[in-house]
Amino acid sequence: MMAALPPRVQKTTFIFRTNVRKSQLESSRCGVLHVFRSSAPSGSREEHAFAWVENYELGVEATCAHLERYGFPRDRAQFIPFSSEAAWISKYPHAFPHVRCSVTGEVTGFPLWSHQAQSELEVPPEVLRAAHSAADVVAEGIKDGRTDPDNATNELPAKRKNAAGGGRLADTVLTNGERRELHNEIYNYFKWLSDRVADLETSEAGRRAVKKADLPAAALRSIVLKLEAAFKIIGQKKVAAGEKKMAEAIKKIEANVEVVDDDDDNAAMPLLEESLAREMAGLAAAEEEAKRRAKKIKLESSDRRKSTGESLDFDLMFEKLLVYKEEHGHPNVPVKYQKDIQLGSWVSGLRTKKKHYDNNSDAMEMDEEGWSLDKEEEGGDDNDNGDNGDNDNASKNNTGASQRYLNPERIRRLESIGFLWSMSKPKAKPRSWDERLEELKRWKEEHGTFKVPRAESLGEWLHNQRTLYGKRDSKFMANKAPRMEEIGYHFNVKENTSVSWEDRFQQLLEFYAKNGTFDVPCPLAEEDDDAGGDGMGNSEEVRERYKFYKWATRLHNEYRAFEKGTSSKLNAERVEKLKNINFQFKGPKSRGRPSASNGNLVPKLSWEKRLQQLESFRADTGHLDIDHNYKHCSNLGGWAAEVSTLYRNWKDGTQHLSEDMINKFHQLIALGFRFNVLPYYENNRNWDDHYEIFMRYKEEHGDSARVPLKYKADLRLGKWVQVQRQQYKNWNEGKKSKLTQERIEKLERAGFEWEVAGPGSSVGDEEEEEEC
C-alpha cells in the first residue's frame, strides 16, 4: 500500500524560542539578532540573517548598523535571548549566525555567508549587490579587523589601547584588567566543570562518562582550589556575589518570600565553554582528520607491500643486526625494541617466515642447482577439483613469499651469528610420580626437612599431594599416601571445620542477647591483656572466637561491596535478615591524620563568639584563609574545617540543614569566609607550592624573607621555613637532606636567611596562647 503524500500548503513557518527562563529575560545579555528583508521589489522572497550578540547593551546597535549595509532594515530586527551560541547552533543549525558581535561591540562576518570570509572575493555576488558596491564591503572588512595580511600591523586599535584596567605587560595583547577577568573566567570554567563531574559521579553511567572524557574529579577540585589561592580577583568576585545574594535574600525575607537556593543545574554555561565551541570543534576535527589520513596512509602502504611482495632489504637489515649483536652480545632483538622498532619487527617477521618455510619443507627437494619445488607441486594434480582453491592459494602465497625472502644462504648467515628461530623456552620433560618422590627424599637428606618452598616445582607438586590427601582421594590414599608416609612424611592436614553463614548469624544473635551489642571484640587482644600472652591465640577456643570476630567485622565490607554491585558474600536476603535485627552497617575507617573536626578537639562556643574571632583574625591577617592546624582561639582552625565540610555537604545535597544554619552561612559569606578550610591534608602542598607562597609573603612584607615560626596567617609556611633551615644544616653536614642544589640556589636568590639572630630558629614567634 502506497504511503500518503504530504499535503500541499501555501506556506510554512519557523518558530524560534528562547531557552532563557522568563524571570531572566530582562537581565539576559547574550542572544541572537534575527532580521529579514525582501529580495525583490514584489517581495516574493524573504531572506533571513542571524547574528550572535554577546552584549545586548553594546552590541545590538552596532549589529543593526552592520546589517543595514546589506539591505536588512532595522525595523525588521528581533532579539532572541539565548544561553549560549553553541546551544543555539545545536537547536537551530539551519539558522547559523554568520555575523558575530563581541562583548566590546566589534562586529565581524557577513550575512548569509561564512564568518570566515577574508575578502570580497569570498562573498557571493548577491551579498555584494546588497551592499551596493564592493568598496563598502572592503571598508567594512577593514573596520572589522580584516585587513590585508600583507599590510597588517601589530598595533592595537586605539579603542583597545585605552581599555579599562590600566597598562599591560610587555609583548602582550590583554590589558591588566582584561587579564584579571580572563583569570576569573578560567576559574568559572573549571568550577563549573568540577561541579558537573561531581554530579555525574553519583551514578554508574555518569562515572563511565567521566572516565571516557578523562576528567578526574580530584584533579579538577585541586585546580579550583589552587586558582582560588592564586588570584585575588576570584575571592573578590565571590565576596561580591555573596553580598549580592545576601542582599537579595534579605529583601525576600522582608517581603515574606521564601528564600530558595538557586539550582546549579540551571546555571548558564561559563564564557569559555560557549565562546570557544566553534574553535575547539575545528581543532578537534583537524585532529581527527590527521589521524584518519595517517591511518589511511599506513593501510595503503601495507596493502602496497602485500600486493607487490615488497620487503625490507635483507643485507641492510642484517648489518643492523650485526651492530645490535656487538652492543648486546647476542642477535636476538626484542619485538618491541624501542631504539629501532623496524629492526625488532623485521626479526619477528623472519621467525614467522621460517615457520612457513619449515611447514612446507616436506614438499621440497634438493637438486644440484639448489632448492626447487617437487614434481607434484610443479605439475599439479589432474584430479584437483578446486574445492579448496582459496586456502591453497593463500598457503602457496605465504610459502612463496617466505621462500623468496629466506633461502639456505640467508638461513646459514643468520644461524652463524647465533640467531634463534624461537625465543620460547623449551618445555621441561614432565617427571613421573616416582621421580618426584625420589627428589623429595633427596631434599630431606640435603635440608633436613620436608618443608619445600611453594615457588619450587617440587613444592608445587607436594602441595598437590596434600590437596589429594585432604580430599581423601581413594586412589591416592590406597597407593601413594602410604609410600610417602614410609619415607617419614607426615601430612598433618587440618580438618575442614568451616561454619555456614546461617550458623554464624545464629551465633551473632546469641552474642547480642548476651552483650547487648553487635561490636564483637578481638579475642587475641583480650588474651594479651588478661594473661600477658603473646597475642597469638594458641587455644582452640580463642581461634574459634577469632574466626567469629573476623566474620562479624567483614560484614561491613561485604555490605559496601553489595551496595556497589561488586562481588560479595551478602545477598538481598541476608542483608534483610541483618537489618531486621537492627544491625548497623558502618562506613570505611578514616585513614591518615585524625580529623580536626573531632568534637573533643573543638570546644563548643556561641555563634557570635566565633564571628568575633573571625573578624579579629581578618583584622590581623587581611583574609579568612585559616589553616586547619590553627589551634588558637579555641581551635578556630578545627571549627573552620567543620563549617567548611558542613557547607560543602549542604551544597552537594548530601546533607539537609535548617533555615537558621543557612542564614548563618550567608553571614559567613558576607564576612568573606570562603569555606575552603579542608580537614586532614586534603590540600597538601609540595615544595614548589610553599616556595610560591613564600615569595608572595616577601612581596607583601617589603621584601622581608624572615617568616615567623608561628605566622598566624599561614602556620604551615612558618613551619616550612624552619624545616628548610634544618634541612640546609643536614645538607652542610653531609647528612640525608630533602634540599637540592637547585632549591638552595632558588632560596638564596630570594634572600632566604639560613641563620637568624636570637635563641629561636625563627623570628617574631607568637605566644603559645592568644586572647580571642
Side-chain angles (χ1 to χ4, degrees):
M1 182 177 179
M2 186 174 179
L5 297 174
R8 295 182 175 89
V9 297
Q10 291 184 345
K11 66 177 182 178
T12 60
T13 305
F14 280 120
I15 298 178
F16 301 103
R17 298 185 186 276
T18 179
N19 69 345
V20 177
R21 288 184 291 185
K22 189 174 182 181
S23 60
Q24 298 177 347
L25 281 176
E26 294 300 324
S27 61
S28 179
R29 299 176 60 190
C30 57
V32 171
L33 188 70
H34 173 212
V35 60
F36 67 94
R37 72 179 184 190
S38 299
S39 62
S42 61
S44 59
R45 189 174 65 141
E46 287 184 354
E47 293 178 346
H48 296 254
F50 300 88
W52 177 257
V53 180
E54 287 286 353
N55 191 322
Y56 178 81
E57 289 78 9
L58 297 178
V60 168
E61 180 65 29
T63 307
C64 287
H66 179 80
L67 294 174
E68 274 187 324
R69 295 176 179 235
Y70 302 95
F72 289 93
R74 184 187 301 259
D75 58 356
R76 293 185 177 180
Q78 292 180 319
F79 183 75
I80 308 167
F82 224 79
S83 63
S84 70
E85 184 180 8
W88 171 271
I89 295 171
S90 176
K91 190 170 185 180
Y92 301 115
H94 56 281
F96 190 91
H98 293 301
V99 177
R100 198 172 192 281
C101 181
S102 68
V103 177
T104 58
E106 297 177 3
V107 186
T108 57
F110 301 95
L112 304 176
W113 197 238
S114 172
H115 65 287
Q116 297 177 351
Q118 299 296 317
S119 70
E120 70 277 6
L121 299 178
E122 301 180 25
V123 183
E126 58 268 22
V127 178
L128 294 178
R129 287 195 296 272
H132 306 298
S133 69
D136 288 346
V137 177
V138 175
E140 184 67 20
I142 294 174
K143 179 179 181 237
D144 295 338
R146 291 191 163 83
T147 56
D148 186 356
D150 295 333
N151 300 323
T153 65
N154 293 326
E155 292 185 4
L156 291 171
K159 182 176 181 180
R160 286 198 42 74
K161 287 182 180 180
N162 299 324
R168 64 178 188 274
L169 299 174
D171 302 325
T172 61
V173 176
L174 297 179
T175 64
N176 294 341
E178 291 168 343
R179 194 175 306 282
R180 283 192 289 270
E181 292 298 328
L182 175 61
H183 294 163
N184 188 58
E185 289 301 332
I186 292 173
Y187 168 78
N188 290 339
Y189 167 75
F190 278 105
K191 182 68 170 65
W192 171 83
L193 188 61
S194 176
D195 292 342
R196 292 299 174 275
V197 169
D199 292 340
L200 286 173
E201 288 199 326
T202 58
S203 65
E204 185 64 30
R207 285 191 289 272
R208 288 197 297 269
V210 168
K211 185 177 181 180
K212 186 176 180 181
D214 192 20
L215 294 171
L220 288 173
R221 180 63 184 165
S222 176
I223 291 173
V224 170
L225 294 175
K226 288 186 177 180
L227 287 173
E228 288 179 353
F231 301 118
K232 292 181 180 179
I233 189 173
I234 296 174
Q236 295 169 357
K237 293 274 187 181
K238 291 180 73 174
V239 171
E243 291 175 349
K244 181 180 178 182
K245 188 173 181 180
M246 187 65 183
E248 292 176 354
I250 292 173
K251 288 181 180 179
K252 290 182 178 181
I253 292 172
E254 292 175 349
N256 292 326
V257 178
E258 182 180 359
V259 180
V260 181
D261 191 55
D262 291 338
D263 188 0
D264 291 339
D265 294 338
N266 294 325
M269 276 192 258
L271 177 64
L272 295 182
E273 178 78 9
E274 58 186 17
S275 62
L276 295 180
R278 185 182 299 165
E279 288 77 3
M280 293 301 103
L283 291 176
E287 180 69 16
E288 288 297 324
E289 179 66 16
K291 290 181 180 179
R292 187 187 66 78
R293 289 180 180 176
K295 185 177 181 180
K296 182 179 179 182
I297 292 171
K298 185 176 180 180
L299 290 175
E300 289 176 352
S301 175
S302 176
D303 293 341
R304 182 178 66 254
R305 292 182 61 180
K306 288 180 180 178
S307 61
T308 61
E310 177 186 350
S311 300
L312 296 172
D313 183 83
F314 181 88
D315 294 325
L316 176 63
M317 299 306 295
F318 187 77
E319 289 297 326
K320 285 188 175 184
L321 190 60
L322 290 177
V323 172
Y324 178 89
K325 182 184 178 183
E326 289 179 3
E327 292 179 358
H328 298 85
H330 63 84
N332 301 304
V333 186
V335 177
K336 297 181 180 179
Y337 182 46
Q338 295 300 321
K339 290 185 178 180
D340 193 339
I341 298 295
Q342 188 182 54
L343 180 61
S345 178
W346 179 74
V347 167
S348 176
L350 285 179
R351 295 189 175 103
T352 303
K353 288 181 173 62
K354 184 66 162 58
K355 288 180 182 178
H356 290 302
Y357 191 94
D358 291 341
N359 289 339
N360 292 274
S361 59
D362 294 339
M364 307 294 292
E365 68 177 6
M366 189 71 174
D367 60 14
E368 295 179 354
E369 297 180 356
W371 293 81
S372 64
L373 294 171
D374 64 8
K375 295 179 181 179
E376 183 180 352
E377 188 171 347
E378 288 180 326
D381 188 353
D382 295 339
N383 297 326
D384 186 5
N385 57 13
D387 290 342
N388 298 318
D390 292 340
N391 293 334
D392 291 343
N393 289 335
S395 176
K396 289 177 182 178
N397 289 337
N398 290 333
T399 304
S402 300
Q403 291 166 354
R404 285 194 298 272
Y405 198 77
L406 281 180
N407 55 41
E409 179 194 356
R410 292 181 175 178
I411 292 174
R412 283 193 291 269
R413 287 173 65 186
L414 290 167
E415 291 176 347
S416 66
I417 64 174
F419 185 80
L420 298 179
W421 295 109
S422 176
M423 295 298 291
S424 59
K425 295 180 180 180
K427 294 183 178 179
K429 181 181 177 181
R431 301 179 185 178
S432 65
W433 193 90
D434 293 328
E435 289 174 335
R436 285 295 190 187
L437 186 63
E438 290 298 322
E439 187 178 355
L440 182 62
K441 290 170 64 177
R442 290 195 298 271
W443 180 278
K444 176 67 167 62
E445 292 172 359
E446 293 175 5
H447 299 87
T449 179
F450 284 112
K451 292 182 179 180
V452 185
R454 183 82 177 270
E456 300 282 343
S457 59
L458 178 62
E460 185 65 26
W461 175 83
L462 189 59
H463 172 75
N464 293 335
Q465 308 312 303
R466 291 172 61 82
T467 302
L468 292 172
Y469 186 90
K471 292 179 179 179
R472 299 297 189 267
D473 182 82
S474 57
K475 293 182 179 180
F476 180 82
M477 299 299 291
N479 303 320
K480 297 178 179 179
R483 293 180 60 186
M484 294 182 69
E485 290 173 345
E486 285 177 4
I487 64 173
Y489 185 81
H490 300 286
F491 287 95
N492 295 327
V493 177
K494 295 181 180 179
E495 296 291 335
N496 185 5
T497 58
S498 60
V499 182
S500 67
W501 193 92
E502 287 71 17
D503 292 339
R504 289 296 186 197
F505 179 76
Q506 187 62 36
Q507 192 175 356
L508 184 65
L509 288 175
E510 295 172 358
F511 179 87
Y512 180 79
K514 181 179 180 181
N515 300 279
T517 179
F518 291 112
D519 295 331
V520 181
C522 178
L524 301 185
E526 291 179 357
E527 186 184 37
D528 270 357
D529 294 340
D530 295 342
D534 59 0
M536 298 302 294
N538 295 322
S539 67
E540 285 295 332
E541 180 186 357
V542 173
R543 279 198 290 268
E544 173 57 29
R545 288 166 56 197
Y546 182 74
K547 290 179 182 178
F548 174 58
Y549 158 75
K550 293 296 291 183
W551 178 87
T553 53
R554 276 198 299 265
L555 287 176
H556 307 288
N557 293 334
E558 297 292 345
Y559 178 73
R560 287 194 292 275
F562 171 77
E563 286 287 289
K564 293 178 182 178
T566 56
S567 177
S568 172
K569 293 182 180 180
L570 290 180
N571 52 35
E573 179 185 355
R574 290 177 176 179
V575 170
E576 188 66 24
K577 291 179 71 173
L578 289 167
K579 288 183 176 179
N580 288 340
I581 63 173
N582 294 324
F583 184 86
Q584 299 296 322
F585 293 103
K586 299 176 183 178
K589 293 182 179 179
S590 60
R591 299 178 182 272
R593 184 184 179 88
S595 172
S597 60
N598 191 315
N600 297 326
L601 300 178
V602 182
K604 300 296 183 182
L605 298 181
S606 66
W607 183 260
E608 290 73 17
K609 181 65 175 176
R610 287 300 186 186
L611 292 181
Q612 292 175 7
Q613 292 174 348
L614 290 177
E615 291 174 350
S616 175
F617 187 93
R618 185 177 62 179
D620 290 343
T621 63
H623 62 77
L624 287 177
D625 297 331
I626 306 169
D627 195 293
H628 64 80
N629 282 331
Y630 188 72
K631 304 301 181 186
H632 300 294
C633 301
S634 302
N635 196 0
L636 183 61
W639 176 83
E642 280 188 349
V643 172
S644 298
T645 302
L646 190 65
Y647 178 81
R648 287 195 298 274
N649 292 342
W650 171 64
K651 290 295 288 183
D652 295 343
T654 58
Q655 189 167 358
H656 299 283
L657 301 175
S658 64
E659 287 295 329
D660 180 58
M661 192 64 228
I662 296 173
N663 291 334
K664 289 179 178 179
F665 284 155
H666 290 308
Q667 293 179 24
L668 293 176
I669 292 172
L671 278 177
F673 188 72
R674 299 191 295 171
F675 302 99
N676 59 348
V677 185
L678 302 178
Y680 316 121
Y681 278 121
E682 294 178 23
N683 53 350
N684 261 347
R685 299 178 190 165
N686 57 28
W687 194 93
D688 294 320
D689 294 335
H690 272 114
Y691 179 78
E692 291 179 9
I693 297 171
F694 170 72
M695 295 303 293
R696 288 203 296 271
Y697 174 90
K698 274 193 63 180
E699 294 176 4
E700 295 172 359
H701 293 80
D703 288 337
S704 173
R706 306 182 74 178
V707 184
L709 173 59
K710 294 170 184 164
Y711 176 47
K712 184 173 182 179
D714 193 336
L715 291 177
R716 280 185 287 171
L717 179 61
K719 183 64 176 176
W720 178 80
V721 168
Q722 182 194 41
V723 170
Q724 302 315 299
R725 293 194 177 103
Q726 180 61 45
Q727 292 296 320
Y728 181 72
K729 182 179 178 182
N730 294 345
W731 190 80
N732 279 333
E733 295 175 355
K735 298 179 182 179
K736 185 177 180 181
S737 172
K738 294 182 180 179
L739 278 180
T740 62
Q741 186 64 40
E742 180 185 359
R743 290 180 175 180
I744 292 173
E745 291 174 358
K746 286 181 70 173
L747 289 171
E748 289 179 343
R749 284 196 300 269
F752 189 88
E753 299 180 31
W754 299 111
E755 294 183 3
V756 292
S761 61
S762 228
V763 295
D765 289 355
E766 299 174 1
E767 294 298 326
E768 285 296 327
E769 294 299 330
E770 206 179 303
E771 266 190 47
C772 298

